[in-house]
């Protein structure tokens, strides 16, 4: 019979003297107490290295592997170590050797095996870093600085980990530009060069500071890097001596006419650039007093006036080679100057700089030479922007050499209606920063030469009859079809749009229940999307779907692509659609996929939005949002990506959040660095875990897509919603507004992926999920409520987070987690932890990091002073997709 060790409860061979696992003498041999020196116990036969070195016990074998690492790695790879250990009867170590061979990194595989060898001769890896504090002195734009970070292993075996620039973007690690996260691996020591990104320095009255966080299997360390970046005062003149944007605004207010020229000629923008600050004005600078108004609006010091435009379309007519001219007028009734600019989508239509005269702006346009395409009707789009990001898309039609009197082609009517609907919805946001869109003063403007007279015959009535038929169809469409060009996409074969997938998305999965719980409502004009609950009604609008985003069409969500420091919203100029945004048909599933290109820098961005099975529920209750960014040009570009999710549940716009690792329900704004970002966060319809209502689960880590290498999220901001047209990030003022209290409760989530250099040909992939979550709650009565939730990588070897919440916890109260066989706490954690107290009667919490051995369903329990709650998790090798 096998002997059981009283220390570790594991079985050993019948004739074993000591435990194979912890070195203690087995009880039947009459030795009480101390451990046997297992590492010094002789082998039946020595293990001999190719060099002739003979190892007679585990201590000698460990030292030989440490001192002749390349040979040991080869012996492991070729199976000699596995065979030898199996011959000793150490099946456990032979199995460990076999697993080590499968490890992607062979050095780490050998290191993991050595860690399991019995004995005491190999000290564990131990990290030492120097220096721990670095002062770079006084810096300015253009400075080239570099210093070395020295890492040393004061122990033995292999030291591996990563260096992360945690909260600053003005340092880069290694020789490649834009790298803020670098992995290392060595035996004795390594030097990592750290370079200064001078173009990212921000002048400040206080020293700038960032930290380099080093995490490894031999410990952690933090290096503090400081520098002085003095502010350059504004050059002499009417704004001279200003040391902050507010001082510039104060002096401009006192002398607006003199200051206007400095805004118009770019002097203020250049001063911003010299201090490393981002100039707040988007688009070209206005002229005259409009330039001062533009700056004040960008700083949020004054609200934009309501602007009206005098046309919703423009019709032109001319013969080949003719020159045509037209104009648009914008005006306001308020006593504030306005500014405007416009861009054309087609080269044959040119737009001139706006003429600003106080409350009126006039934009001229011309066709220098009508294209030689007689009988055709050419179309273009004129995009006009004015104060407060108010925006209009005006269709322009040019009839070449035709007597035809214009109507609206079906395609143009559809696009114009969609754009107007999408922009109008965005203005419903109760925020002073939301753009406003007004109805034009009159329906349209026509500019044409006199039509030639001709005799009529019956044939001439055919086009007219066709036109009447088309217009009748349009009227029917407008009356009986949803406005906005949007569709709710759900899984199952698409019925009216069937387009083959041409972008290489080959993910597939099995659907046990094809009845979707969520739907995507997509806006074709701006390529934004909203999320709806298909099985629940809107609490304020019977018969309509319950919303998980403020705007059902996603008008208040947006995606921003940062290219060489300039933020561009996905779906808007200067991006251009590559092909058509379409509903993609795949086996048993549908998805929205849009491809946008930035033609100058040659950056292509693919957006893929799809309702997929939740990892735990296996129901269609999760929205996958995936992005692929490609540099298809020949020049390196610096690119980052950001997504703004305007969270909303039912009728609650200021939803509170449950954040693993943070006590209480989150009700105030906060910024999270990469190391602080949890595996998931959850938004609650109600701030009560006993009756939370709908729980929205946002998956931030652990997502697995076949054939992809997803980048991690490096920053997250939870704050008051700043506006649907917000570019890269909210202002400092917007980050401190409470999200669940105050006059207008409103919450949102910003997710950021690394901004870094992309060499030609590189492709990057990012993703997150947003869907329905679950919090298990102890339903027994009492003042204390205990809840449990989980999120992360639910697959063998993956790590997920389990979080327990307790209302009205007492000082020093503890919670304990109980894991079934097959689940283990990540090393360094205790099963029993003391609850963090947030103050008041809010929810306290503790979190555990858990890993799984194999597939299956596992029941996790948490308890605290008589309260017990359980939560079942499903572990599956394939992750999100089969």
């Amino acid at each position: 019979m096998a002997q059981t060790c009283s220390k570790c409860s594991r079985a050993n061979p019948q004739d074993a003297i000591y435990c194979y696992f912890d070195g203690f003498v087995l009880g039947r041999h009459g030795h009480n107490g101390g451990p046997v020196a297992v590492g010094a116990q002789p082998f039946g036969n020595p293990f001999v290295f190719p060099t002739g070195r003979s190892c007679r016990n585990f201590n000698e074998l460990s030292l030989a592997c440490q001192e002749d690492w390349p040979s040991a790695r080869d012996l492991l790879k070729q199976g000699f170590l596995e065979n030898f250990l199996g011959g000793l009867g150490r099946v456990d170590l032979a199995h460990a050797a076999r697993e080590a061979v499968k490890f992607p990194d062979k050095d780490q595989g050998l290191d993991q095996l050595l860690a399991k060898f019995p004995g005491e001769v190999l000290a564990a890896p131990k990290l030492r870093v120097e220096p721990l504090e670095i002062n770079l002195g006084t810096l300015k734009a253009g400075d080239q600085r570099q210093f070395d970070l020295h890492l040393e292993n004061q122990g033995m075996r292999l030291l591996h980990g990563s260096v992360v620039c945690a909260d600053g973007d003005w340092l880069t690690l290694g020789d490649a530009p834009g790298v803020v996260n670098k992995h290392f691996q060595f035996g004795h020591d390594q030097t990592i060069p750290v370079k200064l990104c001078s173009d990212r320095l921000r002048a400040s009255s206080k020293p700038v500071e960032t930290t380099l966080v080093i995490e490894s299997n031999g410990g952690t360390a933090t290096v503090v890097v400081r520098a002085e970046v003095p502010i350059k005062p504004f050059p002499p003149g009417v704004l001279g001596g200003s040391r902050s944007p507010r001082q510039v605004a104060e002096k401009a207010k006192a002398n607006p006419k003199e200051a206007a020229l400095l805004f118009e000629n770019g002097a203020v923008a250049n001063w911003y650039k010299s201090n490393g600050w981002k100039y707040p004005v988007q688009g070209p600078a206005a002229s005259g007093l409009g330039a001062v108004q533009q700056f004040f609006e960008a700083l949020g010091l004054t609200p934009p006036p309501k602007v009206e435009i005098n046309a919703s379309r423009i019709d032109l007519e001319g013969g080949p080679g003719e020159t045509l001219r037209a104009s648009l007028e914008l005006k306001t009734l308020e006593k504030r100057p306005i500014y405007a600019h416009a861009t054309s989508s087609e080269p044959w239509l040119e737009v001139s700089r706006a003429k600003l005269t106080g409350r009126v702006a006039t934009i001229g346009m011309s066709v220098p030479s009508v294209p030689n395409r007689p009988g055709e009707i050419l179309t273009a789009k004129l995009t006009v922007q004015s104060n407060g990001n108010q925006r209009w898309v005006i269709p322009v039609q040019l009839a070449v050499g035709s007597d035809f009197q214009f109507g609206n082609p079906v395609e143009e009517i559809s696009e114009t209606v969609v754009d107007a609907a999408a922009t109008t919805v965005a203005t419903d946001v109760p925020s002073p920063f939301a753009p406003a869109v007004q109805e034009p003063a009159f329906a349209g403007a026509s500019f044409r030469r006199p039509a030639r007279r001709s005799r009529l015959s019956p044939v001439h009535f055919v086009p007219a009859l066709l036109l009447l038929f088309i217009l009748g169809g349009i009227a029917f469409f407008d009356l009986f079809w949803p406005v906005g060009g949007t569709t709710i996409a759900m899984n199952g074969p698409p019925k009216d749009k069937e387009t083959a997938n041409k972008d290489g998305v080959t993910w597939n999965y099995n659907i046990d229940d094809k009845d979707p719980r969520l739907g995507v409502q997509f806006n074709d004009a701006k390529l934004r999307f909203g999320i709806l609950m298909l099985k629940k009604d809107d609490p304020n609008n019977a018969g309509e779907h319950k919303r998980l985003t403020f705007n059902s069409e996603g008008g208040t969500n947006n995606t921003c692509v940062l290219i060489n420091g300039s933020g561009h919203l996905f779906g808007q100029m200067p991006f251009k659609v590559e092909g058509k945004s379409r509903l993609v048909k795949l086996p048993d599933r549908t998805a929205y996929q849009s491809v946008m290109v930035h033609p100058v820098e040659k950056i292509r961005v693919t957006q893929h939005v799809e309702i997929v099975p939740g990892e735990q529920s296996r129901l269609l209750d999760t929205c996958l949002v995936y992005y692929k960014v490609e540099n298809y040009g020949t020049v390196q570009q610096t690119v980052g990506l950001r997504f703004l999710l305007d969270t909303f549940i039912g009728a609650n716009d200021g939803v509170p959040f449950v954040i693993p690792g943070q006590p209480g329900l989150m009700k105030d704004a906060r910024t999270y660095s990469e190391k602080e970002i949890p595996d998931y966060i959850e938004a609650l319809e109600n701030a009560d875990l006993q009756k939370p209502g709908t729980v929205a689960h946002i998956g931030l880590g652990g997502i697995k897509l076949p054939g992809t290498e997803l980048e991690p999220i490096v920053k997250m901001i939870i704050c008051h919603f700043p506006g649907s047209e917000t570019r890269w990030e909210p202002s400092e003022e917007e980050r401190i507004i409470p999200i669940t209290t105050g006059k207008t409760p409103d919450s949102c989530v910003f997710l950021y992926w690394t901004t870094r250099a992309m060499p030609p040909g590189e492709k990057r992939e990012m993703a997150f999920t947003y869907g329905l979550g679950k919090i298990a709650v102890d339903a027994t009565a009492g003042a204390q409520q205990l809840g449990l939730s989980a999120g992360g990588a639910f697959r063998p070897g993956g790590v997920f987070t389990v979080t327990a919440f307790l209302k009205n916890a007492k000082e020093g109260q503890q919670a304990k987690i109980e894991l079934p066989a097959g689940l283990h706490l990540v090393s360094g954690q205790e099963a029993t932890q003391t609850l963090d107290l947030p103050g008041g009667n809010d929810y306290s919490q503790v979190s555990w990091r858990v890993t799984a051995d194999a597939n299956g369903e596992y029941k996790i329990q948490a308890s605290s002073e008589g309260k017990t709650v359980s939560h079942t998790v499903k572990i599956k090798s394939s992750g999100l997709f089969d």
Side-chain angles (χ1 to χ4, degrees):
M1 294 178 60
Q3 302 183 68
T4 301
C5 176
S6 61
K7 298 295 182 180
C8 67
S9 301
R10 298 191 185 185
N12 293 272
Q14 182 179 3
D15 58 348
I17 299 175
Y18 55 88
C19 177
Y20 274 45
F21 303 98
D22 60 14
F24 279 81
V25 174
L26 299 176
R28 67 191 293 268
H29 292 279
H31 187 283
N32 297 319
V36 173
V38 181
Q41 294 296 312
F43 295 149
N45 293 300
F47 183 86
V48 181
F49 272 66
T51 59
R53 182 171 180 172
S54 179
C55 305
R56 295 165 297 176
N57 52 46
F58 276 112
N59 285 345
E60 292 181 3
L61 179 58
S62 298
L63 287 174
C65 291
Q66 173 74 26
E67 294 168 5
D68 192 355
W69 192 276
S71 294
R73 185 180 55 207
D74 291 340
L75 291 170
L76 173 64
K77 181 179 178 181
Q78 296 168 19
F80 290 112
L81 280 175
E82 178 188 348
N83 293 335
F84 177 75
L85 295 170
L88 293 178
R90 292 301 300 265
V91 178
D92 58 325
L93 294 180
H95 175 73
R98 185 162 58 252
E99 292 299 313
V101 172
K102 299 177 183 177
F103 205 80
D105 188 292
K106 303 309 177 187
D107 290 306
Q108 290 189 29
L110 176 59
D111 181 68
Q112 290 187 9
L113 177 62
L114 292 179
K116 296 176 181 177
F117 276 7
E120 55 282 332
V121 295
L122 291 186
K126 184 178 180 181
L127 174 68
R128 181 175 182 271
V129 182
E130 62 175 19
L132 291 177
E133 187 170 330
I134 299 170
N135 193 325
L136 298 177
T138 301
L139 302 175
K140 60 182 179 179
D143 280 353
Q144 300 295 325
R145 298 284 184 89
Q146 177 178 323
F147 62 90
D148 291 330
L149 191 65
H150 299 283
L151 309 180
E152 181 183 351
N153 183 6
Q154 292 188 319
M156 302 176 76
R157 298 194 357 243
L158 187 72
L159 184 72
H160 56 86
S162 63
V163 183
V164 178
C165 188
D167 50 7
D169 61 352
W170 49 277
L171 293 179
T172 184
L173 303 172
D175 296 324
V179 177
V180 295
N181 188 335
K182 186 173 182 63
H183 294 276
F184 60 80
Q185 181 172 294
F186 59 87
H188 183 261
D189 61 6
Q190 184 173 338
T191 298
I192 297 178
V194 183
K195 296 182 179 180
L196 171 69
C197 301
S198 58
D199 59 332
R200 297 181 183 175
L201 286 173
R202 309 288 185 265
S204 174
S205 57
K206 299 178 181 180
V208 294
E209 182 177 299
T210 187
T211 54
L212 299 175
V213 179
I214 303 99
E215 296 182 342
S216 74
N217 62 328
T220 62
T222 300
V223 177
V224 180
V225 184
R226 297 187 181 89
E228 298 278 349
V229 187
I231 296 174
K232 295 181 180 179
F234 202 93
V238 67
L239 304 179
S242 298
R243 301 180 65 84
S244 70
R246 182 166 290 276
Q247 289 181 0
V248 166
E250 290 172 352
K251 293 186 178 184
K253 184 178 180 181
N255 301 277
K257 292 184 179 180
E258 295 84 351
L261 181 61
L262 299 176
F263 289 101
E264 187 177 349
N265 64 16
V268 178
N270 290 334
W271 174 68
Y272 264 80
K273 183 177 180 180
S274 69
N275 282 299
W277 301 335
K278 182 180 178 181
Y279 193 49
V281 174
Q282 300 292 323
S287 59
L289 294 180
V292 179
Q293 174 75 16
Q294 188 180 31
F295 180 72
F296 275 46
E297 289 178 16
L299 290 183
L301 299 176
T302 183
K306 183 178 180 181
V307 179
E308 297 178 349
I309 193 168
N310 70 342
S312 63
R313 73 174 189 271
I314 295 175
D315 297 333
L316 304 171
E317 182 181 359
E322 285 190 40
T323 298
L324 305 177
R325 290 184 175 83
S327 65
L328 280 174
E329 184 178 276
L330 298 91
K331 65 180 180 180
T332 181
L333 299 178
E334 301 177 38
K335 294 182 178 180
R336 297 177 192 172
I338 68 171
Y339 54 88
H341 71 277
T343 56
S344 168
S345 64
E346 298 295 334
W348 52 263
L349 179 65
E350 297 182 357
V351 184
S352 60
R353 184 183 177 92
K355 295 181 180 180
L356 308 179
T357 54
R359 303 182 198 177
V360 178
T362 303
I363 298 176
M365 68 200 79
S366 65
V367 181
S369 178
V370 174
N372 187 19
R373 295 164 65 178
E376 293 187 34
I377 296 179
L378 308 182
T379 61
K381 289 183 181 179
L382 194 67
T383 303
V384 183
Q385 287 189 277
S386 184
N387 300 60
N389 286 330
Q390 296 172 84
R391 177 175 174 269
W392 299 263
V393 176
I394 309 297
V396 180
Q397 296 182 130
L398 169 60
V400 182
S402 173
D403 295 329
F404 185 69
Q405 300 298 309
F406 295 108
N408 275 326
V410 174
E411 181 181 352
E412 286 303 319
I413 288 178
S414 175
E415 291 185 358
T416 305
V417 170
V418 168
D419 192 87
T423 317
T424 303
V425 170
T427 64
D428 293 337
V429 182
S431 167
F433 304 97
V437 175
Q438 290 78 39
E439 291 296 325
F442 56 86
S446 298
F447 303 88
R448 57 172 68 87
R449 56 185 170 82
R452 292 170 296 178
R453 296 180 180 272
S454 62
R455 293 182 61 187
L456 296 178
S457 70
V459 177
H460 288 87
F461 290 101
V462 175
L465 291 173
L466 289 174
L467 176 60
L468 288 174
F469 178 78
I470 293 172
L471 292 176
I474 294 170
F476 179 84
F477 185 93
D478 288 339
L479 286 173
F480 299 104
W481 200 259
V483 177
T486 57
T487 306
I488 296 178
M490 57 193 72
N491 287 65
K495 296 180 180 178
D496 32 343
K497 294 184 181 179
E498 298 186 0
T499 306
N501 177 26
K502 300 177 182 178
D503 293 298
V505 176
T506 57
W507 313 318
N508 197 12
Y509 48 80
N510 294 322
I511 305 175
D512 299 327
D513 184 347
K514 295 185 180 181
D515 190 16
R517 272 61 173 175
L518 295 186
V520 175
Q521 191 157 337
F522 200 89
N523 184 289
D524 293 322
K526 288 192 174 182
L527 306 185
R528 301 182 185 183
F529 56 92
I531 311 296
L532 303 172
M533 296 178 63
L534 302 182
K535 301 296 183 182
K536 297 285 186 180
D537 282 348
D538 188 310
N540 292 336
N541 299 284
E544 295 187 9
H545 295 304
K546 190 174 184 179
R547 291 173 283 161
L548 288 186
T549 54
F550 177 84
N551 185 271
S552 60
E553 297 179 354
T556 56
N557 301 326
N558 72 46
T559 302
C560 186
V561 184
L562 191 70
I563 304 178
N564 298 330
S566 180
H568 306 284
L569 295 184
F570 186 88
Q572 295 178 212
M573 296 283 287
F575 276 100
K576 293 184 178 180
V577 177
E578 183 177 83
K580 287 285 186 181
S581 173
R582 60 189 181 276
L583 196 63
V584 178
K585 180 182 178 182
L586 296 170
D588 284 331
R589 52 192 276 225
T590 58
Y592 273 107
Q593 190 159 287
S594 311
V595 181
M596 305 292 293
V597 296
H598 197 283
V600 177
E601 283 77 8
K602 300 189 183 307
I603 296 297
R604 179 184 293 112
V605 183
T606 300
Q607 174 182 264
H608 183 99
V609 183
E610 178 178 358
I611 301 300
V612 299
E615 265 198 292
Q616 291 300 292
S617 69
R618 306 306 295 171
L619 302 174
L620 292 171
D621 62 5
T622 299
C623 180
L624 169 70
V625 183
Y626 161 86
Y627 290 94
K628 179 167 65 176
V629 182
E630 305 169 80
N631 180 357
Y632 67 93
T634 58
V635 179
Q636 178 173 279
Q637 307 291 347
T638 300
V639 184
L641 188 79
R642 187 271 296 148
F643 188 87
L644 165 59
L645 176 66
D646 186 10
T647 49
F648 182 91
I649 302 179
N652 188 0
D653 198 10
V655 296
F657 291 87
V658 169
I659 312 290
Q662 176 178 314
L665 297 182
M666 183 175 177
K667 303 173 183 176
D668 296 311
R670 181 176 170 183
T671 299
Y672 295 81
S673 64
E674 181 176 5
K675 66 178 181 179
E676 297 174 314
I677 296 175
D679 290 328
Y680 70 100
I681 62 177
E682 289 179 314
L684 309 182
E685 185 175 7
N686 306 314
D688 184 352
L689 287 185
Q690 201 73 15
K691 298 179 180 179
T694 296
V695 178
H697 185 99
I698 306 175
L700 307 175
I703 302 172
K704 178 184 176 183
L705 303 179
T708 64
E709 190 69 32
L710 295 177
E711 294 189 13
I713 297 170
V714 298
K715 184 170 75 169
M716 176 175 71
I717 301 174
I718 297 179
C719 64
H720 195 278
F721 180 71
S724 61
E725 301 305 304
T726 298
R727 296 281 166 164
W728 187 242
E729 61 184 5
S731 67
E732 293 295 333
E733 293 79 6
E734 290 160 345
R735 296 193 202 185
I736 62 175
I737 303 173
I739 61 177
T740 64
T741 59
K743 187 176 180 180
T744 56
D746 200 347
S747 57
C748 69
V749 180
F750 284 84
L751 302 177
Y752 294 84
W753 287 267
T754 302
T755 299
R756 63 172 177 81
M758 289 184 63
E762 184 181 12
K763 297 180 181 180
R764 300 169 58 188
E765 296 172 291
M766 307 109 177
F768 73 95
T769 60
Y770 183 47
L772 300 180
K774 176 184 177 183
I775 297 180
V777 178
D778 176 12
T780 58
Q784 291 193 332
Q785 301 170 4
L786 182 63
L788 197 64
S789 70
F794 294 102
R795 50 183 174 268
V799 176
F800 59 93
T801 300
V802 178
T803 305
F805 312 92
L806 185 69
K807 188 175 180 63
N808 300 325
K810 298 177 292 187
E811 185 72 34
Q813 186 169 348
Q814 294 183 324
K816 180 182 179 181
I817 190 171
E818 297 181 28
L819 299 176
L823 297 186
H824 311 281
L825 291 177
V826 174
S827 62
Q829 299 181 99
E830 297 292 336
T832 301
Q833 296 187 33
T834 301
L835 290 154
D836 291 328
L837 298 182
N841 295 326
D842 209 339
Y843 290 90
S844 304
Q845 68 160 268
V846 292
S847 293
W848 296 270
R849 301 277 279 167
V850 179
T851 185
D853 290 336
N855 292 337
E857 291 192 7
Y858 300 88
K859 185 178 181 180
I860 300 172
Q861 284 192 331
S863 59
S864 180
E865 295 192 1
K867 293 278 185 180
T868 302
V869 65
S870 62
H871 187 81
T872 299
V873 298
K874 300 175 183 177
I875 305 300
K876 192 172 183 181
S877 300
S878 59
L880 186 61
F881 293 96
D882 292 327

